[in-house]
């Protein structure tokens, strides 16, 4: 678990973030597109569209004992998000190098988080802004072991809104997370720790920063991405774990009632990994402590290459 005490974060500017762009003013001709800089200094103009409009994308990558988890999957989702927002194609080799450089420059810790951001940049400059921020992961022991209290909240659109309204950018991991943050504050007001969004027509979607996995007997299910949710990298690895334990794994649209009848549920995400749901809208839900501990351990194990 990341001991946050005293460790400095690491910031790497990505000076060649996109495939089509030549080196920016930051970069020397022979540079590799990555520059480690002072994390406490200013590096962004207030006119950057990422700041002004939330016009950009990000990924948050879990790092276990120095290895980034699901790195290829995060990079692929980053490129997919960029395409959905008509951002320039990120140069994934530069981003990979930046992530590994920043992790390598950080003091070692059991768990870190690496956040990568690409914004549309400053209007008129024609240059995207990009950076990697690495810091110790928080302490999620209580959430992982005791579980979390979750409330369901109406997301305000139908489960099939993505097709008629692609400008909602459903399925892209955009910087515009004010809605997600508002939902988490609403959960706190209701005495809960987290949220499961439900579509206006009554289907389980995802958490504001997580994917929902539900167990009924020997089956586990999660919502398909056709419902306008993010393709979860942690969910994919969790399904590998559940398959190895003999569970049937499926993608299925789930009416809220089906979630209420679950034997167990987890919110899974890149840095917290898996948090069992111990209460849903105030009703208790069983936590399988041993299975959850094994799930978290599996999620934190970097794949052998
Ligand atoms: N859904 C949303 C809206 C998220 O923001 C996140 C992660 O932050 C997830 C799902 C989980 O994705 P991952 O497991 O790749 O972290």
């Amino acid at each position: 678990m990341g001991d946050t005490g005293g460790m400095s974060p690491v910031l790497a500017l990505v000076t060649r973030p996109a495939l089509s762009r030549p080196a920016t003013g930051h970069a020397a001709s022979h540079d590799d597109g990555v520059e480690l800089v002072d994390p406490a200094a200013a590096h962004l103009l207030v006119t950057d569209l990422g700041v002004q409009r939330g016009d950009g994308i990000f990924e948050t990558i879990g790092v276990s004992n120095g290895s980034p988890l699901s790195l290829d999957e995060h990079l692929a989702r980053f490129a997919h998000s960029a395409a959905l927002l008509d951002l320039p194609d990120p140069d994934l080799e530069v981003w990979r190098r930046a992530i590994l450089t920043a992790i390598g420059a950080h003091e070692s810790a059991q768990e870190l988080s690496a956040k990568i951001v690409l914004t549309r940049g400053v209007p008129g400059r024609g240059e995207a802004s990009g950076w990697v921020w690495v810091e110790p992961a928080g302490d999620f022991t209580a959430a992982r072991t005791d579980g979390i209290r979750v409330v369901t909240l109406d997301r305000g659109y139908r489960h099939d809104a993505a097709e008629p309204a692609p400008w909602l950018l459903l399925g892209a991991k955009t910087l515009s997370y004010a809605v997600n943050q508002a939902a988490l504050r609403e959960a706190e007001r209701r005495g809960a720790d987290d949220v499961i969004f439900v579509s206006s027509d009554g289907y389980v979607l995802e958490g504001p920063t997580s994917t929902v996995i539900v167990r009924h007997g020997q089956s586990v299910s999660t919502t398909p991405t056709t419902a306008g949710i993010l393709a979860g990298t942690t969910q994919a690895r969790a399904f590998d774990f559940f398959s190895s334990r003999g569970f049937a794994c499926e993608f299925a649209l789930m009416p809220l009632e089906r979630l209420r009848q679950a034997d167990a549920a987890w919110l899974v995400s890149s840095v917290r990994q898996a948090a069992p749901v111990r209460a849903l809208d105030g009703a208790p839900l069983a936590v399988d402590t041993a299975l959850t501990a094994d799930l978290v351990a599996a999620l934190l194990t970097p794949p052998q290459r």
Side-chain angles (χ1 to χ4, degrees), residues 60 74 77 173 177 180 206-211 230-235 268-270:
T60 304
H74 280 289
R77 192 170 67 187
K173 198 162 166 68
Y177 262 42
N180 307 45
E206 62 185 343
T209 62
S210 61
T211 311
L230 275 194
T233 64
T234 317
Q235 169 274 316
V268 300
S269 54
S270 284

Side-chain angles (χ1 to χ4, degrees), residues 181-224:
Q181 298 292 96
L184 290 170
R185 289 194 301 275
E186 178 63 20
E188 198 180 340
R189 273 192 288 273
R190 297 186 188 195
D193 309 302
D194 214 322
V195 171
I196 292 177
F197 283 128
V198 177
S199 66
S200 58
D201 51 345
Y203 292 100
V204 173
L205 294 176
E206 62 185 343
T209 62
S210 61
T211 311
V212 183
I213 295 182
V214 178
R215 180 176 76 78
H216 294 89
Q218 284 298 110
S219 297
V220 292
S221 29
T222 196
T223 302

Side-chain angles (χ1 to χ4, degrees), residues 82-272:
L84 288 175
L85 269 73
D86 303 313
L87 285 165
D89 291 333
D91 186 333
L92 296 186
E93 283 322 302
V94 173
W95 282 93
R96 181 188 302 274
R97 190 159 56 235
I99 293 162
L100 296 176
T101 301
I103 292 170
H106 197 284
E107 243 177 280
S108 69
Q110 251 180 312
E111 291 182 44
L112 298 170
S113 98
K115 181 168 184 175
I116 67 176
V117 180
L118 175 69
T119 84
R120 206 175 299 280
V122 173
R125 282 202 172 178
E127 276 169 14
S129 307
W131 65 91
V132 180
W133 178 267
V134 175
E135 64 183 4
D139 183 349
F140 296 112
T141 311
R144 289 171 180 172
T145 52
D146 304 339
I148 52 174
R149 298 157 302 173
V150 170
V151 289
T152 57
L153 295 181
D154 187 346
R155 189 70 176 88
Y157 43 66
R158 291 172 50 92
H159 77 280
D160 53 2
E163 202 203 320
W167 43 87
L168 289 177
L169 300 176
L170 301 179
K173 198 162 166 68
T174 78
L175 289 175
S176 313
Y177 262 42
V179 167
N180 307 45
Q181 298 292 96
L184 290 170
R185 289 194 301 275
E186 178 63 20
E188 198 180 340
R189 273 192 288 273
R190 297 186 188 195
D193 309 302
D194 214 322
V195 171
I196 292 177
F197 283 128
V198 177
S199 66
S200 58
D201 51 345
Y203 292 100
V204 173
L205 294 176
E206 62 185 343
T209 62
S210 61
T211 311
V212 183
I213 295 182
V214 178
R215 180 176 76 78
H216 294 89
Q218 284 298 110
S219 297
V220 292
S221 29
T222 196
T223 302
T225 54
T226 47
I229 66 162
L230 275 194
T233 64
T234 317
Q235 169 274 316
R237 284 183 304 115
F239 268 25
D240 290 343
F241 166 81
F242 283 114
S243 295
S244 76
R245 290 297 180 95
F247 288 88
C249 297
E250 60 163 12
F251 292 86
L253 263 183
M254 231 179 305
L256 177 54
E257 209 37 48
R258 179 105 179 112
L259 170 63
R260 297 207 190 286
Q261 293 159 356
D263 295 317
W266 295 265
L267 294 189
V268 300
S269 54
S270 284
V271 182
R272 192 171 63 182

